[in-house]
Amino acid sequence: MGQQTKVTINIENSSALARKESVVAVKWENVLSRFPKIDTTNFLVLDAITKKQIPFQLEHKGLQSIQNLLIQVNVKAKSTLTLLIQQGKPQPFNAKTYARFIPERKDDFAWENDKIAFRTYGKAIEKTKEDAYGLDVWVKRTDKLVIDERYKLGNYHIDNGNGMDYYHVGFSLGAGNMAPYVNDTIRYSANYHQWKILDNGPLRSSFQLTYDTWNAGGIKVRAIKVISLDAGSQLNRIENIYTFEDNKPLPVVVGIIKRPENGIMSLNEQQGIMGYWEPNHGEDGITGVGTILTSPVSNMFVDNKQLLAKTTVKSNESIVYYAGAAWNKAGEIIDSKQWFEYLDRFFQQIKEPLIVTLK
């Protein structure tokens, strides 16, 4: 028997929903077990039928060794896509995700994909009038990466043709941040004080933010948050680990800031989906914001400032949820119905992931 130089990957979609631009992870150890001599700088991924190259990324998760092969695919409902891994020079593909620390703008941390962009606030902006607690949204209507260009121009509150920052966060959870909720009060931390990029494109960017210990209503809490954004997705995957001394679970909330004018809300406690279609903001358009919790929600409610979804976490155990946004002027999701349907579909995709097998 000669040395194996080709691997077949089957990606099965057993659900009734077509998958578009989905990023799938294939365990690298499974690739190696079938193709031990693979050269990481000289292989490509092909559609078995069309022989077209498929975009991929080697994911490290902040470690030296490769953890996963990420592939971006379209798979029709109730069907299987077959791909081949073989030797050869991969064609260059444009990066569709990007994340970076922005020391030139008071320690912002910003990240984006081909659909939308976000930022969160760092140490240098604390105790200034520009400080904000939540996640910020930068809307865009281009699949190109825009963060560097916008920071360079400096006037990102103006639409220079590809979108802007008109989202208001203030002292709220913004577009889906999470915080402890002790004695019916949100216990905000300070901003992140340490950051680490784990992977940076072309298909997934992920990073870790560390928050110093704070007093959450008499409970000393510290937090590590890992945020990752895939190409083609409106939502971030957010994994938080809270550490505290109490044996009891800690109540936490995920929140979306509400505008003074009437927006459209959708609170689905059963499935943990919270959606908000903001009121129109003049020529700036409309932002839709949404969150999906994967742990049971005890209740969802609206206070005078925010939509909130409440759940609990145990010390040192990770909690995973999804949060993100869409802009009507990007032309893909243009009304509340489409936005709430997008969140429902995303929930279904979490529930019924694509099944990967190697041959």
Side-chain angles (χ1 to χ4, degrees), residues 101-108 121-125 128 130:
F101 172 58
I102 318 284
E104 69 270 30
R105 216 311 287 201
K106 298 183 178 167
D107 297 351
D108 281 1
Y121 300 88
K123 191 173 183 178
I125 207 167
T128 74
E130 293 172 292

Side-chain angles (χ1 to χ4, degrees), residues 43-274:
F43 78 91
L44 33 90
V45 181
L46 297 175
D47 183 306
I49 294 167
T50 66
K51 298 294 187 259
K52 273 194 173 152
Q53 289 202 31
I54 305 285
F56 69 85
Q57 174 183 337
L58 296 174
E59 183 185 34
H60 289 260
K61 295 189 165 187
L63 302 167
Q64 273 197 306
S65 58
I66 300 164
Q67 301 300 301
N68 292 308
L69 170 67
L70 303 178
I71 308 168
Q72 190 176 33
V73 293
N74 298 317
V75 194
K76 292 181 181 129
K78 303 281 184 192
S79 71
T80 300
L81 174 70
T82 303
L83 306 177
L84 300 171
I85 301 176
Q86 62 184 53
Q87 283 175 315
K89 188 153 178 58
Q91 65 195 34
F93 15 81
N94 292 334
K96 296 180 181 180
T97 68
Y98 177 59
R100 102 171 160 89
F101 172 58
I102 318 284
E104 69 270 30
R105 216 311 287 201
K106 298 183 178 167
D107 297 351
D108 281 1
F109 198 100
W111 67 101
E112 65 180 315
N113 66 3
D114 47 347
K115 306 284 182 190
I116 191 93
F118 303 91
R119 73 165 159 175
T120 191
Y121 300 88
K123 191 173 183 178
I125 207 167
E126 284 175 358
K127 299 188 173 68
T128 74
K129 65 181 193 306
E130 293 172 292
D131 194 13
Y133 296 151
L135 297 180
D136 190 19
V137 179
W138 281 18
V139 293
K140 55 194 270 191
R141 53 159 171 260
T142 174
D143 57 6
K144 294 186 172 63
L145 301 174
V146 300
I147 284 171
D148 283 349
E149 176 198 310
R150 287 192 190 174
Y151 274 110
K152 203 169 165 186
L153 286 169
N155 61 350
Y156 44 78
H157 296 292
I158 297 160
D159 188 349
N160 291 300
N162 62 25
M164 70 193 123
D165 171 23
Y166 78 90
Y167 191 75
H168 174 69
V169 178
F171 299 123
S172 79
L173 293 165
N177 201 6
M178 179 185 276
Y181 190 73
V182 179
N183 298 329
D184 295 336
T185 306
I186 302 172
R187 307 293 176 169
Y188 295 102
S189 67
N191 296 341
Y192 81 87
H193 285 183
Q194 290 163 292
W195 60 274
K196 180 186 179 186
I197 289 176
L198 307 176
D199 286 283
N200 213 350
L203 297 178
R204 175 178 292 166
S205 290
S206 54
F207 54 93
Q208 178 181 294
L209 302 175
T210 303
Y211 295 78
D212 291 349
T213 303
W214 76 100
N215 181 353
I219 302 166
K220 286 191 172 151
V221 180
R222 59 178 197 277
I224 291 174
K225 304 188 176 190
V226 174
I227 299 177
S228 66
L229 182 61
D230 284 359
S233 176
Q234 304 288 155
L235 304 185
N236 299 284
R237 180 188 188 274
I238 303 175
E239 182 173 357
N240 294 341
I241 295 180
Y242 291 98
T243 307
F244 48 94
E245 283 185 346
D246 216 325
N247 289 329
K248 293 201 307 266
L250 177 73
V252 294
V253 285
V254 169
I256 298 172
I257 187 167
K258 187 174 69 148
R259 303 302 167 208
E261 309 78 20
N262 282 338
I264 302 165
M265 300 179 201
S266 171
L267 304 180
N268 178 344
E269 274 183 12
Q270 197 81 38
Q271 297 181 318
I273 307 169
M274 193 162 64

